[in-house]
Amino acid sequence: MVYSSDALLLGLNRREVADLVEKAGEPSYRAQQIMDGVYRERVRSLDQVSTLPRELRENLSQRGFAVGSPAIQQRFVSRDGTVRYLVAFGDGETVETVWMPEGDGGEAGDGSEAGDSADAPARGWDRATICISSQVGCAVDCQFCLTALLGVKRNLSAGEIVGQVCAVLNDQKVSLPQERINLVFMGMGEPFLNYDNFIKASRLLVEEVGIAESRMTVSTAGIVPRIRDFGLEPIRPKLAISLNASNDELRTRLMPLNRKWNLEKLLAAARDFPLRNRERITFEYVLLRDTNDAVRNAEEVVDLLQGLRAKVNLIALNPGPGIGFTTPAEERVLSFQKVLTKAGIPAFVRRPRGRDIYAACGQLKRTIEIMPVAPPS
Ligand code: SAH
C-alpha cells in the first residue's frame, strides 16, 4: 500500500497523536491507547491494538494510517553473539542496526566490565546494547570509516530511528523495562547532522518506549554548534565525541571536518557542556597503526582533556576494504591506555564486536556492498 509518510504513527509524539484522534472525532483517551500500542507493545499493525474498537482500527487503516514499522530484511549472527540487522524502510532504503548481548562472558559496550553473570537469564545475556543508525550513509568524510565511502543518501525520520529499536527489541523478544537495554547512536550516519529527528526519536525512546536517558549515548564526529544545542535539551542521551587525533594537523587529515570545527572549538564546546550529576563526556579514539597511536599522541590527548570530566574509549581500527590504515599491535594500544590512566583519565579498550560479520564500529557498509538489495516492488 502506498501512503504518505505523515500517515505513519511511529514517530508521532503524544501531542501529534492527540491531534489526530481529535480530528477523527474520537475521545481523547484513544490517543493513549494508540501510543501504548505503538511504543509500549510495539505492534506492527493497527489491527493488533486490541484496546481500540474494530471500527476505529478499520477507519484509521482506510484513511491510510499505518504503524510504519521497518522490516528486518537480513540477519547476520556473529560467533560472539552480535547480530547485525539489515533494516529496510518504506522507500526501499536500508540501514544497519546492531544487537550486542553482554554478560555471558562478553564485555560491556561502554568499556566497563560486564559484571557477574551468575544470575543471567537462561537466554545467555543479562544486558544488551543496540547500536542504531541516524542516516542512510554519512556525509562526514572520516578516512578510516567504511560508512563514509557510501556518502549520504538521506536522513532517517524520527519514526525510522525509533523503528529500528522496536524491530530489534521485538526480534530479540525483549520486555521493557524489566530487561537492561543500552542504546548507542553510533551506527551509520552523523546524528548531529539530522538533529531534529534524532532529538525527537530520543524523546520518544525515553518517554514512550521506556529506555532511560542514562542508558543512551549519542556519538558525534564534532558538529560544534549542535553540541552546544544538545547541552540545552531537557531530555537527552549522554554525549560521546569522536576525537581520533591528538592535534589539528592529524585530525584534519583523518577527519576533514576538523577544518571547520578544530580542536580548540570542539574542546571549548566540551568544556561548556552542562553535565548532569556524575556524568562524563566520552571521547572515542580510533587507533591507527603508526598514525595516531604513539605515546606522544597519548600525551597530547592528556593535555587536550585537562580539566574535563571525561573518559576515553580506545578502539583499535576495524579494518575494511578501501581503508588505507591498519590496526595497531596490542602493545601499542596498551601503552597508549597507560599514558591516559596514569594521568588520571579513565581509559578503556573496546573489544570489537561482530568483526566476523562486519558489524564492528566503522564497518557498517558491508551488507549493501556485498549484497545489493532490490527495492520492494
Ligand atoms: N558519526 C558519529 C557516529 C558514528 S561512528 C561519530 O562519528 O561519532 C561511531 C564510532 O565509530 C566513532 O567513534 C568512529 O570514530 C568509530 N569508527 C569509525 N570507523 C571506525 C573503524 N574503522 N574502526 C573502529 N572505529 C571506527
Side-chain angles (χ1 to χ4, degrees), residues 144-145 186-187 189-190 219-221 242 244 284 286 315 317-318 361-362:
F144 44 80
C145 179
M186 297 188 186
E190 169 49 50
S219 177
T220 179
S242 296
N244 296 338
E284 295 142 295
V286 181
I315 318 165
L317 176 79
N318 293 308
C361 296

Side-chain angles (χ1 to χ4, degrees), residues 185-207:
F185 293 84
M186 297 188 186
M188 301 168 87
E190 169 49 50
F192 282 11
L193 291 180
N194 183 16
Y195 187 79
D196 292 345
N197 292 341
F198 151 70
I199 288 291
K200 189 178 188 194
S202 25
R203 284 194 191 177
L204 289 170
L205 288 163
V206 172
E207 297 183 321

